[in-house]
Amino acid sequence: SEMSQASVRLNRLIENLLNMSRLESGHLSPRPDWCDVHDLVNKVSGTLKQELSQFKFIQEIPEDMPLVYIDFGLMEQVLHNLILNATQYAPEGTTITISFKYDKAGILTVKVMDSGGGFSLSELNLLFNKFYRGEKTSSGGTGLGLSIVKGFVEALGGSVSAGNLEGGGAVITIEIPVKISEMNENESN
């Protein structure tokens, strides 16, 4: 069991280092396709099932959420890193929420929120730097997760920011311009 967990951590480390290398070399080109955000969240929550088992995981997706034209693999990695971070910094038994919203201006907004201690003002400007690890870090890590999130989101033409929730906890907000699938387009295909 311990060897299995260690191999999963090692695999994550190697994947993060490879992703960082791709970002820095400019060999990362998004391959967008039509994507259902429900599938995206289900894939990530399935992969992180063990980590999320200690939390209440809430998905807020509007009923009328359209299909979005985005790179599934890059978004999967972004959400994986954000949700994994939330499980590492929020107290067990608390709530982790992911919310999606699409506005008429063509922006997909994704928020990952937790009920942890949030961020100190001094670290808000450092969070997305390579190898930066949070002030309240208790678990091992490389400090690459949020840096990769930033790189992938920017490769998709978007932006990412961090903040604190009024009632306590952290929020990471991603905004990405996307095309959506209109119902009448689907009916004619």
Side-chain angles (χ1 to χ4, degrees), residues 31-43:
R31 294 183 174 88
D33 201 354
W34 293 109
C35 166
D36 182 340
V37 297
H38 291 90
D39 293 342
L40 197 54
V41 174
N42 289 339
K43 178 88 189 293

Side-chain angles (χ1 to χ4, degrees), residues 65-82:
M65 185 73 195
L67 295 177
V68 294
Y69 195 67
I70 200 162
D71 186 308
F72 188 95
L74 292 183
M75 276 307 291
E76 177 187 356
Q77 191 66 43
V78 164
L79 298 182
H80 183 278
N81 284 356
L82 292 179

Side-chain angles (χ1 to χ4, degrees), residues 150-166:
K150 183 177 190 275
F152 281 9
V153 169
E154 288 176 352
L156 293 167
S159 63
V160 60
S161 61
N164 292 313
L165 298 168
E166 270 188 40

Side-chain angles (χ1 to χ4, degrees), residues 52-66:
L52 284 169
S53 67
Q54 306 301 316
F55 298 89
K56 181 179 180 188
F57 184 56
I58 297 175
Q59 303 172 31
E60 295 175 350
I61 304 172
E63 284 184 32
D64 61 348
M65 185 73 195

Side-chain angles (χ1 to χ4, degrees), residues 27-161:
H27 285 90
L28 181 73
S29 53
R31 294 183 174 88
D33 201 354
W34 293 109
C35 166
D36 182 340
V37 297
H38 291 90
D39 293 342
L40 197 54
V41 174
N42 289 339
K43 178 88 189 293
V44 173
S45 61
T47 305
L48 293 172
K49 185 177 183 178
Q50 182 178 349
E51 290 85 351
L52 284 169
S53 67
Q54 306 301 316
F55 298 89
K56 181 179 180 188
F57 184 56
I58 297 175
Q59 303 172 31
E60 295 175 350
I61 304 172
E63 284 184 32
D64 61 348
M65 185 73 195
L67 295 177
V68 294
Y69 195 67
I70 200 162
D71 186 308
F72 188 95
L74 292 183
M75 276 307 291
E76 177 187 356
Q77 191 66 43
V78 164
L79 298 182
H80 183 278
N81 284 356
L82 292 179
I83 294 170
L84 179 63
N85 265 19
T87 65
Q88 292 172 338
Y89 290 97
E92 288 185 7
T94 60
T95 301
I96 296 173
T97 304
I98 184 167
S99 73
F100 289 83
K101 184 179 83 175
Y102 177 80
D103 66 27
K104 299 302 178 203
I107 303 295
L108 173 67
T109 302
V110 182
K111 292 185 179 190
V112 176
M113 299 162 274
D114 67 43
S115 305
F119 303 113
S120 71
L121 293 179
S122 62
E123 70 181 336
L124 277 174
N125 295 326
L126 303 172
L127 288 173
F128 298 102
N129 292 350
K130 277 190 297 189
F131 304 112
Y132 178 77
R133 294 176 65 217
E135 293 173 1
K136 301 166 190 153
T137 301
S138 58
S139 60
T142 59
L144 289 174
L146 290 180
S147 176
I148 289 169
V149 164
K150 183 177 190 275
F152 281 9
V153 169
E154 288 176 352
L156 293 167
S159 63
V160 60
S161 61

